[in-house]
Amino acid sequence: MDFEGLKSLFRKKSPWVLALEAGGCNGCIIEVAACLTPRYDVERFGILRKPTPRHADILVITGAITHQIKDRVKRIYEQMPEPKYVIAVGACPIKGGMLSDCYNTDTPLDEIIPVDAYVPGCPPKPEAIIDGIIKAIEAIE
Ligand code: SF4
């Protein structure tokens, strides 16, 4: 196996995740936090939460994309090393959800950065979020 193959194997076995709340009601980020507790325990899949985009393989975004955070989302995405994956969690980043008509929210997330997996719901259950992360891991080759 060459070096690139080894890197993919390590990423697949232990992806590092950055969770970002963009601008919703915080309901989804609370469910993401629940995934990290012993009850749902995503670490059993080797998934570790990281505080910086420079160490992250997967970006999990919750909440509506506000005008204020739009450029920051782009910058965070650009700071992640390749290959990188994005998961939109909840109705807000997918289509705006209940905040779609707000004066301060912007386009869906996938019109700002590429999205690899969508987890619908308002908020989605931790099981659905874990399923979305596993789908993103399966995309890592
Ligand atoms: S999708 Fe629903 S629960 Fe999640 S941040 Fe938006 S309004 Fe809140």
Side-chain angles (χ1 to χ4, degrees):
M1 186 181 288
D2 63 0
F3 184 61
E4 287 305 315
L6 269 179
K7 280 199 305 190
S8 295
L9 180 69
F10 296 152
R11 273 200 187 93
K12 204 168 179 173
K13 289 286 180 193
S14 182
W16 290 2
V17 173
L18 173 69
L20 175 72
E21 162 62 21
C25 73
N26 284 340
C28 288
I29 199 72
I30 289 170
E31 300 300 327
V32 170
C35 296
L36 302 166
T37 61
R39 179 163 183 176
Y40 293 99
D41 190 21
V42 289
E43 278 196 33
R44 70 193 139 119
F45 301 116
I47 299 164
L48 291 180
R49 191 174 184 185
K50 288 289 154 182
T52 167
R54 292 187 177 87
H55 295 169
D57 303 304
I58 299 174
L59 178 61
V60 171
I61 299 196
T62 64
I65 311 303
T66 62
H67 297 312
Q68 198 174 21
I69 203 157
K70 182 178 171 183
D71 288 340
R72 292 184 177 109
V73 167
K74 272 190 214 164
R75 213 177 314 143
I76 286 168
Y77 179 75
E78 284 160 8
Q79 286 173 349
M80 291 171 66
E82 294 282 356
K84 50 194 169 187
Y85 305 89
V86 177
I87 305 173
V89 171
C92 283
I94 295 173
K95 279 287 178 197
M98 67 163 78
L99 305 172
S100 59
D101 292 331
C102 270
Y103 68 94
N104 61 343
T105 56
D106 219 307
T107 50
L109 179 63
D110 57 10
E111 290 184 18
I112 299 168
I113 57 173
V115 176
D116 301 285
Y118 299 86
V119 183
C122 185
K125 289 183 168 186
E127 293 91 335
I129 298 170
I130 293 171
D131 188 53
I133 295 173
I134 299 296
K135 283 199 170 76
I137 292 171
E138 284 169 0
I140 300 173
E141 287 300 337

